[in-house]
């Protein structure tokens, strides 16, 4: 079977590996493979500028990585807690809850104040709300209605923004917090529901999980390059870089790619961001293309900085910045050398600053000098750590144009519609962050599914 895969990010390379028994060509528009996985050779050692961890509680992902022979490359974080910067102070990120949505006011009182905390507790005494099983709403709208604005702006948006580059108001509950949506579905069978009950039930079921099963997150000792290089090599596929595909057309013998090799393919997998997939599908699956145009992307920027000393850097894994915090441009800092013991061993301090949320492109347009200045200024404002005095030894600035798809309240319906339309187009499959979730385990699982489906 001759198979073309468009996009050599995690999804495309995973699919290529899964299809290694076939004649596979992978086309990548840029000059390197990996997409949003990108390990940069700092002098002190390989350093990730895109994804920097994954949820290793997802055993399917760990098994897949083990199958690639990379199990021994996985390393665990230090377990140090994170901070939230709100109201000009960096305070501990509450543990428990669901992505910052608490079941008690006490859990977040130190961040939102006593009055807002009391409002959270009072939710149980207010009338419940009607929840339609299978329904959806934006995370922000739900939590604002039940708990008030403070917890959304200070905690929930900061946490979700770290994962999705979007505020809670731009994200759908079912797409981003499916367990919470599922628990509301379950509770709704008995009538009106309370958010505190749903969150509390999830906390209780989490507490029942067996402990001692290793850390929740992991990463690769030498960075994500270990994963994308292994996938590329073990796939045996022909990988064409600097190969921008601008269209797909049907031919008598299958599909042809504009910008690809002069040959026909029996099958095609699109492993590209949604807007690109929409353009590429225009000719062969116009309805799918039109449904896909609803998916918007959030831009972001990562500034990686290495300092000669870590003296004065807080003993935490990082800090998230509350929405609307005045005088600070960054949305988060990861204190990588505190978070990851294998990076701490290099000496000095490694810090990643992140900028940009959906709809806020200021950082994307800023000059590199400005971005580094903002990163250093904000780091000092938030933590007191003076990066200039600490000796800035290495810097890398990475702009992520369209870094992540926006998983709004209509996203799942859009994906279902695209899938429905594609069902009538034999031999074409889609994979990638917008299809089944942005997390590395989700992308791997989705690409494996697409590889299996495309052979049917
Ligand atoms: C800054 C950042 C931090 C992140 N951190 C984490 C994390 O810590 N943990 C986690 O689990 N996830 C994280 N993620 C999410 C995760 O990295 C991504 O969801 C995942 O890597 C996306 O993989 P993909 O293959 O779907 O897409 P991509 O990586 O975007 O790959 C798509 C590829 O297609 C190529 N392409 C596009 N158009 C064309 C064309 N016309 N022709 C040919 N090629 C084309 C692109 O150049 C790209 O290489 C992060 C994402 C970002 C942006």
């Amino acid at each position: 079977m001759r198979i073309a895969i468009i996009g050599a990010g995690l999804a495309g390379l995973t699919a290529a590996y899964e299809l290694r028994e076939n004649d596979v060509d992978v086309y990548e528009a840029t000059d390197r493979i990996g997409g949003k996985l990108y390990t940069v050779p700092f002098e002190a050692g390989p350093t990730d500028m895109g994804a920097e961890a994954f949820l290793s509680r997802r055993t399917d992902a760990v098994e897949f990585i083990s199958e690639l022979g990379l199990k021994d490359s996985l390393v665990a974080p230090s377990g140090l807690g994170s901070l939230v910067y709100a109201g000009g102070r960096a305070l501990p990120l509450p543990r428990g809850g669901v992505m910052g949505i608490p079941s008690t006011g006490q859990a977040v009182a130190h961040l939102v104040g006593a009055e807002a905390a009391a409002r959270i507790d009072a939710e149980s005494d207010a009338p419940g709300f009607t929840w339609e099983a299978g329904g959806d709403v934006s995370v922000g709208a739900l939590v604002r209605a039940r708990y008030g604005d403070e917890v959304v702006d200070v905690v929930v948006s900061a946490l979700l923004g770290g994962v999705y580059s979007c505020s809670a108001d731009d994200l759908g509950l079912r797409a981003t917090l499916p367990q919470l949506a599922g628990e509301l579905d379950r509770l709704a069978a008995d009538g009106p529901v309370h958010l505190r009950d749903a969150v509390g039930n999830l906390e209780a079921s989490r507490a029942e999980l067996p402990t001692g099963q290793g850390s929740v997150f992991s990463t690769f000792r030498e960075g994500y390059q270990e994963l994308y290089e292994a996938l590329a090599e073990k796939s045996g596929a022909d990988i064409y870089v600097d190969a921008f595909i601008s269209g797909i057309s049907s031919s008598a013998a299958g599909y042809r790619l504009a910008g690809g090799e002069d040959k026909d393919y029996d099958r095609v997998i699109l492993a590209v961001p949604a807007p690109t997939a929409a353009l590429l599908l225009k000719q062969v699956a116009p309805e799918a293309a039109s449904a896909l145009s609803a998916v918007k992307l959030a831009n972001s920027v990562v500034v990686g900085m290495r300092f000669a000393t870590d003296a004065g850097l807080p003993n935490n894994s990082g800090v998230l910045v509350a929405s609307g915090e005045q005088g600070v441009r960054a949305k988060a800092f990861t204190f990588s050398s505190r978070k990851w013991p294998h990076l701490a061993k290099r000496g000095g301090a490694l810090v990643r600053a992140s900028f940009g949320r959906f709809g806020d492109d200021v950082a994307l347009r800023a000059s590199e000098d400005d971005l580094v200045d903002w990163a250093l200024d904000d780091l000092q404002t938030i933590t007191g750590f003076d990066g200039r005095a600490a000796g800035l030894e290495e810097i890398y600035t990475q702009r992520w144009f369209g870094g992540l798809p926006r998983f709004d309240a209509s996203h799942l319906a859009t994906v279902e519609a695209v899938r429905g339309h594609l069902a009538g187009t034999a031999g074409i499959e889609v994979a990638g962050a917008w299809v089944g979730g942005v997390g590395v385990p989700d992308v791997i699982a989705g690409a494996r599914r697409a590889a299996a489906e495309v052979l049917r």
Side-chain angles (χ1 to χ4, degrees), residues 5-13 27-30 32-37 49-55 162-163 165 217 224 240 243-247 271-273 276-277 280 298 300-302 331 339 352 354 400 402-405 431-434 437-443:
I5 297 177
I6 310 174
L10 177 60
L13 294 173
Y27 293 101
E28 167 54 45
T30 68
R32 63 164 192 90
I33 61 166
K36 273 51 173 224
L37 306 182
M49 286 296 123
E52 54 99 40
F54 72 95
L55 193 58
V163 178
S165 294
F217 291 97
Y224 264 109
Y240 300 90
F244 177 84
I245 302 300
S246 57
V272 291
T276 314
L280 293 177
S300 57
V301 178
V302 173
K331 70 173 177 193
K339 180 173 177 180
R352 273 167 58 120
S354 305
W400 290 112
L404 289 163
W434 64 269
V438 301
V440 161
D442 291 320
V443 174

Side-chain angles (χ1 to χ4, degrees), residues 105-447:
Q106 192 208 344
V108 292
H110 63 294
L111 290 164
V112 300
E115 205 178 304
R119 214 174 314 125
I120 292 169
D121 289 332
E123 198 246 356
S124 301
D125 303 324
F129 61 101
T130 306
W131 177 259
E132 196 184 315
D136 211 354
V137 62
S138 91
V139 177
L142 173 68
V143 182
R144 284 183 199 286
R146 301 304 298 178
Y147 288 173
D149 293 334
E150 295 86 345
V151 69
V152 177
D153 296 333
V154 174
V155 190
V156 184
S157 275
L159 264 164
L160 284 169
V163 178
Y164 291 97
S165 294
C166 287
S167 81
D169 301 295
D170 287 321
L171 296 169
L173 183 73
R174 203 167 286 279
T176 58
L177 303 174
Q179 283 151 331
L180 184 54
E183 184 57 18
L184 289 171
D185 290 348
R186 202 181 66 77
L187 292 174
D190 297 328
V193 294
H194 288 90
L195 184 56
R196 285 191 70 194
D197 292 344
V199 175
N201 290 350
L202 291 178
E203 282 177 327
S205 52
R206 240 185 353 234
E208 282 168 17
L209 287 176
T211 51
Q213 292 194 336
S215 68
V216 176
F217 291 97
S218 295
T219 197
F220 293 83
R221 197 185 313 277
E222 300 293 314
Y224 264 109
Q225 65 187 1
E226 291 200 63
L227 177 60
Y228 58 78
E229 283 173 3
L231 285 170
E233 189 194 321
K234 288 175 192 279
S235 74
D238 287 326
I239 300 179
Y240 300 90
V241 292
D242 289 320
F244 177 84
I245 302 300
S246 57
I248 307 171
S249 56
S250 303
S251 68
Y255 294 106
R256 287 185 87 82
L257 305 187
E261 292 291 283
D262 183 16
K263 66 194 213 196
D264 299 297
Y265 293 98
D266 305 303
R267 305 280 192 270
V268 179
I269 295 182
L270 287 88
V272 291
T276 314
L279 283 174
L280 293 177
L281 286 171
K282 244 181 180 159
Q283 242 178 298
V284 286
E287 286 173 314
S290 131
L292 246 185
S293 58
V295 182
K296 304 286 178 249
L297 304 178
N299 302 314
S300 57
V301 178
V302 173
V303 180
M305 300 174 290
R306 209 193 134 61
F307 305 99
T309 173
D310 66 356
L313 191 67
N315 208 23
N316 293 91
S317 63
V319 59
L320 299 164
V321 178
S323 313
E325 195 62 24
Q326 297 300 307
V328 173
R329 290 185 168 95
K331 70 173 177 193
F333 286 91
T334 307
F335 309 147
S336 307
S337 50
R338 295 270 193 252
K339 180 173 177 180
W340 300 106
H342 71 288
L343 298 179
K345 281 192 193 139
R346 295 179 184 174
L350 187 60
V351 175
R352 273 167 58 120
S354 305
F355 297 88
R357 292 189 179 93
F358 182 77
D360 162 19
D361 291 344
V362 175
L364 204 68
R365 292 192 305 270
S367 72
E368 209 159 309
D369 285 350
D370 279 348
L371 284 165
V372 174
D373 276 337
W374 296 350
L376 291 167
D377 291 347
D378 290 354
L379 184 61
Q380 188 165 13
T381 302
I382 294 172
T383 68
F385 180 79
D386 181 349
R388 294 176 181 91
L392 186 52
E393 295 192 326
E394 286 181 80
I395 318 171
Y396 194 92
T397 303
Q398 176 64 41
R399 291 169 211 265
W400 290 112
F401 295 94
L404 289 163
R406 180 182 61 162
F407 274 61
D408 64 10
S410 62
H411 187 78
L412 295 182
T414 301
V415 173
E416 212 178 297
V418 172
R419 283 197 173 290
H421 294 309
L422 280 180
T425 314
I428 296 205
E429 276 294 328
V430 288
W434 64 269
V435 185
V438 301
V440 161
D442 291 320
V443 174
I444 292 174

